[in-house]
């Protein structure tokens, strides 16, 4: 498996009922592991204080048809994004656990061996109550400067 140092730009636009849209952007360093099968990648980075998830590792497991977001550390969860399907998972935080469901309306994966981008539009529910809508855009490019 080949692993490359990459720069990751993540733009999110969560929309929660009763709250204004609050677009967020994170630019960080990480790694892109190229899988044995064509179109399979693991994209990983360490969360920081800025995201409120310090000490947590976030990994996107990317395949041609679906994207799995996994977090491990103080926050542990998995969210599976597959266009047109709803998936549920247990979300564990230092404050307790909750059942989280995600339904991806749109999943676009243009990842390649040198980077690329992903777009995910999804709704999220917590314990079966609609919590909001989210748009996530991730751009990955090979790092040009040493970490």
């Amino acid at each position: 498996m080949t692993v490359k140092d990459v720069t990751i730009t993540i733009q999110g636009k969560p929309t929660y009922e009763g709250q204004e849209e609050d677009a967020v952007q994170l630019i960080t360093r990480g790694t892109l592991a190229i899988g044995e099968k064509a179109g399979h990648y693991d994209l990983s980075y360490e969360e920081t204080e800025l995201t409120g998830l310090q000490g947590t590792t976030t990994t996107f497991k990317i395949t041609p048809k679906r994207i799995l977001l996994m977090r491990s550390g103080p926050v542990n969860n998995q969210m599976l994004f597959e266009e047109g399907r709803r998936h549920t998972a247990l979300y564990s935080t230092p404050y307790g656990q909750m059942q989280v469901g995600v339904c991806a309306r749109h999943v676009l994966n243009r990842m390649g061996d040198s980077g690329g981008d992903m777009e995910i539009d999804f709704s999220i529910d917590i314990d079966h109550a609609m919590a909001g809508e989210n748009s996530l855009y991730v751009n990955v490019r090979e790092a040009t400067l040493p970490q």
Side-chain angles (χ1 to χ4, degrees), residues 62-115:
I62 305 159
T63 65
K65 297 279 185 193
R66 59 192 217 170
I67 299 169
L68 175 65
L69 182 150
M70 299 179 356
R71 289 196 170 107
S72 60
V75 173
N76 291 293
N77 76 326
Q78 293 186 6
M79 288 190 267
L80 180 58
F81 302 104
E82 196 171 10
E83 195 165 305
R85 300 207 45 202
R86 180 179 180 273
H87 295 278
T88 60
L90 200 57
Y91 195 108
S92 298
T93 72
Y95 309 103
Q97 296 181 348
M98 60 188 144
Q99 184 77 27
V100 175
V102 293
C103 182
R105 292 180 305 282
H106 172 72
V107 178
L108 180 62
N109 167 14
R110 293 187 297 248
M111 197 61 61
D113 290 359
S114 296

Side-chain angles (χ1 to χ4, degrees), residues 36-72:
E36 299 296 322
K37 293 182 180 178
H40 290 241
Y41 302 94
D42 287 355
L43 176 66
S44 297
Y45 65 94
E46 298 297 321
E47 298 283 355
T48 67
E49 280 182 45
L50 294 173
T51 63
L53 301 172
Q54 185 174 6
T56 300
T57 300
T58 297
T59 301
F60 289 92
K61 291 193 153 302
I62 305 159
T63 65
K65 297 279 185 193
R66 59 192 217 170
I67 299 169
L68 175 65
L69 182 150
M70 299 179 356
R71 289 196 170 107
S72 60

Side-chain angles (χ1 to χ4, degrees), residues 23-36:
V24 294
Q25 179 172 300
L26 171 70
I27 300 173
T28 190
R29 300 298 284 265
T31 59
L32 178 66
I34 302 166
E36 299 296 322

Side-chain angles (χ1 to χ4, degrees), residues 7-18:
T7 300
I8 305 165
T9 303
I10 301 170
Q11 296 173 324
K13 189 164 61 169
T15 307
Y16 297 102
E17 194 170 322

